[in-house]
Amino acid sequence: MGNKRVCVIGAGFGGLALAIRLQSAGIPTTVVEARDKPGGRAYVWEREGFTFDAGPTVITDPASLRELWSLSGHDMADDVELLKVSPFYRLNWPDGVTFDYSNDEASLNAEIAKVNAADVAGYQEFLAYSEGVYRDGYQRFGAVPFLDFKSMLKAAPTLIQHQAWRSVYSMVSRFIEDEKLREAFSFHTLLVGGNPMTASAIYALIHKLEKDGGVWWARGGTNRLVAGMVRHFERLGGTVRLGEAVTRVHTIGNRATEVETACGWRESFDAVASNADLMHTYRDLLRGTRRGAHYARKLARKRFSPSLFVVHFGLEGTWPGIPHHTILFGPRYEGLLADIYQHGVLPADFSIYLHHPTVTDPGLAPPGRSTFYALIPVAHMGKLAIDWEQMGPVLEKRVLDEVGRRLIPDIHDRIVTKFHYAPRDFALDLNAHLGSAFSLEPILTQSAWFRAHNRDDEIGNFYLVGAGTHPGAGIPGVVASAKATAGLMIGDLAG
């Protein structure tokens, strides 16, 4: 490819995966990251001996990650140690019912039977459906760019066959009658920003993805997976510039020509890819261009995923009985989701995703202590207009009170250190539009061709990677987006 050079804006999972693919293909690549550490949403803090990962905490489809190393004949295990997580999640309801979710068929059937024996057969039907959408949706189209409507028409038979217009919850309910089990097999879309009541049934593929590939944890934290990706990228000859916020992508006509940062660095490139927030990319980085202004207006009319409120805390003591991931369901499911996704209110009740990594990886805390975070989805700032400076400490206490009531009665006495991360922080730290934690909401009319394209429609050498483009959020999604985008870039640069 001669002396052609590429810039990737943003060192999130998508940006790093794309950069590794380009560098593996012999294309000199520079990654420019605004923050002091790589990772994007997978940031990390170290406080009083505790390691607190910002997320994501669930690593699935490890084969898609290993492929990033195998492209150049390397082994991911040289840089990253993955540890099995089992059960994947423990689900807990206010009436005391628990459900250990795993990929061991006998154990999973026993857990289902414990809640409702009649649903064991229905689960097998749901599994067959999940296998079908995984095969026809994720494996066939997950890493294939949708650049024109013809590509969408090719996928139409698959979408019709699997009734993609139905919601995940609706499809689960077709096979499973118990309400708790319906929640157990539909909550996964929340992990990629989707409302189980409205996200396309195609997202039921996540169950098969986890069943086949398992759920994993990187020793040392998700940050160590990020560090391993950076190490591998630099081993291949790539360059990472940290602490440099890109302020402008310069264009001439329909070509991106230069990238400029706040510190005055400015350099020419043959192609540019953005792993930054979609709205920030078009409204700010491409400001002054007709394309930037036009697409920013279009994005403003789209539906963005909710935000998150996360309480990180380090405790005195250890809890071998609390698994790595726990979902503490609240008293409502559909009503709570409506409050978050539609009404834009801060409900009195909530469901909590509790992350307890030290049960798998004790080194994330000092001896005899434990690292946790408790996460609740909240409406983004376009729907929920509250002062997070004021509300943050109040909500933090409410979340910790609920964890204490359900699991750790003396939680407040055991806290060594704590802090929270709110929608305002997503907006300030990550330039996330409206403080959204997952970019565009994953609904059918914002998927595939209807999502932001992996290559811009007008600026021919400007590309997108990450949660906002096809196929969407989550580690497997953004890594697949990198595969789709890299294929386009390598082909275009060779032409």
Side-chain angles (χ1 to χ4, degrees), residues 318-358:
T318 58
W319 282 268
I322 299 178
H324 196 121
H325 304 116
T326 302
I327 311 286
L328 298 172
F329 285 107
R332 299 183 302 150
Y333 190 59
E334 186 173 3
L336 179 64
L337 293 169
D339 281 348
I340 294 165
Y341 282 83
Q342 295 165 34
H343 306 145
V345 298
L346 191 62
D349 60 315
F350 38 69
S351 291
I352 297 173
Y353 171 58
L354 185 69
H355 179 227
H356 176 211
T358 37

Side-chain angles (χ1 to χ4, degrees), residues 344-387:
V345 298
L346 191 62
D349 60 315
F350 38 69
S351 291
I352 297 173
Y353 171 58
L354 185 69
H355 179 227
H356 176 211
T358 37
V359 76
T360 302
D361 189 3
L364 295 166
R369 291 179 169 178
S370 300
T371 296
F372 286 89
Y373 86 35
L375 173 156
I376 62 170
V378 294
H380 63 58
M381 296 190 301
K383 289 184 181 291
L384 182 60
I386 62 173
D387 182 348

Side-chain angles (χ1 to χ4, degrees), residues 188-326:
H188 292 79
T189 57
L190 289 162
L191 303 180
V192 294
N195 180 352
M197 301 296 167
T198 57
S200 168
I202 290 291
Y203 285 91
L205 67 84
I206 296 173
H207 179 70
K208 174 64 172 173
L209 186 73
E210 289 184 342
K211 190 172 189 301
D212 281 7
V215 169
W216 301 82
W217 173 252
R219 186 181 294 281
T222 310
N223 67 92
R224 301 321 300 161
L225 174 55
V226 171
M229 292 173 77
V230 171
R231 188 180 308 118
H232 179 53
F233 172 61
E234 291 180 333
R235 175 191 295 131
L236 297 172
T239 301
V240 178
R241 300 179 69 97
L242 296 176
E244 293 204 38
V246 173
T247 54
R248 192 87 176 258
V249 175
H250 293 274
T251 60
I252 296 176
N254 64 352
R255 305 290 293 175
T257 55
E258 294 177 305
V259 174
E260 183 178 359
T261 67
C263 68
W265 177 80
R266 182 168 172 167
E267 201 153 323
S268 299
F269 291 96
D270 297 284
V272 178
S274 179
N275 184 212
D277 174 82
L278 270 184
M279 182 64 89
H280 176 60
T281 295
Y282 281 93
R283 182 191 59 206
D284 303 329
L285 304 187
L286 287 169
R287 71 185 182 280
T289 68
R290 188 180 63 83
R291 174 59 174 165
H294 170 75
Y295 199 63
R297 285 194 298 271
K298 191 172 179 180
L299 286 170
R301 296 192 293 270
K302 291 185 179 289
R303 282 167 52 174
F304 280 78
S305 294
S307 191
L308 302 171
F309 183 83
V310 189
V311 183
H312 297 269
F313 54 102
L315 297 186
E316 194 70 57
T318 58
W319 282 268
I322 299 178
H324 196 121
H325 304 116
T326 302

Side-chain angles (χ1 to χ4, degrees), residues 13 15-27 29 31 38 63-80 223-240 479:
F13 273 113
L16 290 173
L18 174 60
I20 288 169
R21 285 186 171 277
L22 295 172
Q23 197 69 42
S24 297
I27 301 169
T29 303
V31 176
S64 68
L65 292 168
R66 293 190 187 102
E67 186 179 45
L68 298 173
W69 274 261
S70 65
L71 289 168
S72 54
H74 290 86
D75 187 348
M76 177 176 155
D78 293 339
D79 294 309
V80 183
N223 67 92
R224 301 321 300 161
L225 174 55
V226 171
M229 292 173 77
V230 171
R231 188 180 308 118
H232 179 53
F233 172 61
E234 291 180 333
R235 175 191 295 131
L236 297 172
T239 301
V240 178
V479 170

Side-chain angles (χ1 to χ4, degrees), residues 24-42:
S24 297
I27 301 169
T29 303
T30 299
V31 176
V32 186
E33 167 58 46
R35 303 182 82 179
D36 62 331
K37 298 171 189 169
R41 279 162 171 73

Side-chain angles (χ1 to χ4, degrees), residues 9-200:
I9 300 166
F13 273 113
L16 290 173
L18 174 60
I20 288 169
R21 285 186 171 277
L22 295 172
Q23 197 69 42
S24 297
I27 301 169
T29 303
T30 299
V31 176
V32 186
E33 167 58 46
R35 303 182 82 179
D36 62 331
K37 298 171 189 169
R41 279 162 171 73
Y43 196 72
V44 62
W45 298 273
E46 291 174 1
R47 300 192 179 188
E48 298 187 45
F50 296 88
T51 298
F52 295 106
D53 270 314
T57 66
V58 178
I59 297 172
T60 54
D61 195 11
S64 68
L65 292 168
R66 293 190 187 102
E67 186 179 45
L68 298 173
W69 274 261
S70 65
L71 289 168
S72 54
H74 290 86
D75 187 348
M76 177 176 155
D78 293 339
D79 294 309
V80 183
E81 182 185 357
L82 291 183
L83 307 173
K84 267 188 179 176
V85 175
S86 186
F88 296 168
Y89 317 92
R90 174 166 295 160
L91 312 181
N92 176 275
W93 285 269
D95 62 3
V97 172
T98 63
F99 181 96
D100 279 2
Y101 194 115
S102 71
N103 62 347
D104 180 89
E105 192 128 354
S107 298
L108 189 59
N109 284 335
E111 290 291 305
I112 294 168
K114 188 176 74 177
V115 179
N116 184 30
D119 279 326
V120 173
Y123 165 70
Q124 292 302 322
E125 293 182 62
F126 169 68
L127 176 58
Y129 173 80
S130 178
E131 287 172 340
V133 291
Y134 172 75
R135 179 187 64 246
D136 298 338
Y138 184 74
Q139 290 187 318
R140 279 185 62 197
F141 295 113
V144 176
F146 284 74
L147 299 179
D148 54 38
F149 196 64
K150 281 191 294 186
S151 58
M152 195 68 186
L153 291 175
K154 284 181 188 172
T158 294
L159 298 174
I160 293 167
Q161 177 191 353
H162 297 295
Q163 301 179 53
W165 61 87
R166 296 182 63 166
S167 72
V168 170
Y169 181 84
S170 161
M171 189 58 74
V172 169
S173 299
R174 177 181 161 189
F175 303 115
I176 291 171
E177 64 181 36
D178 183 84
E179 175 55 27
K180 286 186 173 71
L181 294 175
R182 288 175 173 180
E183 294 173 19
F185 290 106
S186 67
F187 80 87
H188 292 79
T189 57
L190 289 162
L191 303 180
V192 294
N195 180 352
M197 301 296 167
T198 57
S200 168

